[in-house]
């Protein structure tokens, strides 16, 4: 985890060291959420096929909500007395995940890959939730609220990937490309 600078001030009830630690956790979430917003828009522009309009229109509200999460995280970092970073170069330099690697593709292929993206974002948000649980209730509440929305969005995505028997077509995939391939193959069989 990248360490945030030690702020000259922070919110009442936290030490500058605690404020710095919470800000560093939030900066990681800010990087991830900025990347997610761009990835969602990329998919929105590059999705094709029979489910195009449903997926295209499903993604815009997700983009808007994730952009609100970005703003919430950045403003909380600033409230803690630390400067938030949201430039593309900073995000690329700090991220621990690969760039989304699928261009123009079928809706189901993209949704398979997006399910993997949501897995990573949600797992990291859950870790941040645990890491802030004892440090700062306000930040923890912010992360929990975001997590609730992210899990809902993943459910929307998974509804397109799930069989009537409850099996995800992407089950067992370890990468976005594998998930896209598995989802696309299952859709062709159906």
């Amino acid at each position: 985890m990248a360490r945030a600078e030690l702020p000259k001030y922070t919110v009442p009830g936290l030490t500058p060291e605690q404020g710095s630690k919470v800000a560093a956790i939030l900066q990681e979430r800010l990087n991830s959420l900025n990347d997610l917003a761009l990835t969602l828009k990329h998919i929105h522009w590059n999705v094709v096929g029979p489910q195009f309009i449903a997926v295209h229109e499903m993604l815009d509200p997700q983009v808007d909500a994730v952009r609100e999460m970005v703003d919430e995280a950045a403003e909380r970092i600033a409230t803690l007395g630390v400067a938030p970073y949201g430039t593309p170069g900073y995000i690329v330099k700090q991220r621990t995940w690969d760039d989304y690697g699928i261009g123009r593709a079928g809706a189901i292929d993209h949704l398979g890959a997006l399910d993997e993206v949501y897995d990573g974002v949600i797992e990291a948000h859950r870790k941040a939730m645990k890491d802030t649980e004892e440090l700062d209730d306000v930040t923890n509440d912010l992360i929990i609220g975001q997590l609730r929305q992210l899990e809902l969005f993943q459910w929307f995505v998974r509804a397109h990937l799930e069989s009537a028997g409850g099996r995800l077509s992407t089950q067992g995939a370890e990468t976005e490309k594998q998930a896209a391939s598995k989802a696309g193959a299952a859709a062709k069989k159906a």
Side-chain angles (χ1 to χ4, degrees):
M1 169 178 14
R3 191 89 179 143
E5 69 260 19
L6 191 61
K8 294 186 179 10
Y9 68 90
T10 194
V11 296
L14 294 183
T15 67
E17 291 79 13
Q18 289 169 320
S20 176
K21 186 173 182 178
V22 172
I25 292 166
L26 279 172
Q27 182 62 57
E28 288 182 356
R29 298 296 74 234
L30 178 61
N31 296 344
S32 177
L33 291 168
N34 265 320
D35 188 81
L36 177 60
L38 291 169
T39 298
L40 287 166
K41 207 58 179 171
H42 170 83
I43 295 168
H44 170 86
W45 295 321
N46 286 289
V47 67
V48 298
Q51 298 91 356
F52 161 78
I53 199 66
V55 173
H56 185 79
E57 290 185 355
M58 176 182 73
L59 294 179
D60 266 340
Q62 292 184 29
V63 171
D64 292 342
V66 171
R67 285 179 177 161
E68 285 183 33
M69 291 177 202
V70 165
D71 201 43
E72 288 174 337
E75 288 175 355
R76 184 66 184 160
I77 292 168
T79 301
L80 292 164
V82 177
Y85 293 97
T87 63
Y90 186 83
I91 295 166
V92 169
K93 186 172 125 184
Q94 296 297 316
R95 74 179 178 203
T96 57
W97 58 90
D98 293 330
D99 200 14
Y100 189 80
I102 299 167
R104 192 165 199 80
I108 298 303
D109 298 69
H110 271 298
L111 291 177
L114 182 55
D115 184 42
E116 285 295 311
V117 170
Y118 272 125
D119 275 352
V121 173
I122 289 168
E123 285 173 13
H125 250 66
R126 284 194 163 275
K127 181 180 182 318
M129 178 184 67
K130 290 193 183 312
D131 292 346
T132 59
E133 193 171 40
E134 300 295 322
L135 276 172
D136 181 33
D137 290 338
V138 174
T139 300
N140 188 256
D141 184 59
L142 182 145
I143 291 169
I144 290 169
Q146 291 178 349
L147 191 54
R148 184 178 306 111
Q149 279 191 289
L150 293 167
E151 289 176 351
L152 179 67
F153 296 156
Q154 187 177 36
W155 174 58
F156 293 167
V157 168
R158 286 182 167 179
H160 294 268
L161 304 171
E162 185 180 1
S163 71
R167 188 177 195 300
L168 288 176
S169 60
T170 55
Q171 195 166 342
E174 295 179 12
T175 67
E176 292 164 14
K177 288 187 178 181
Q178 285 178 357
S181 179
K182 289 181 88 147
K188 286 177 184 151
K189 287 181 185 175

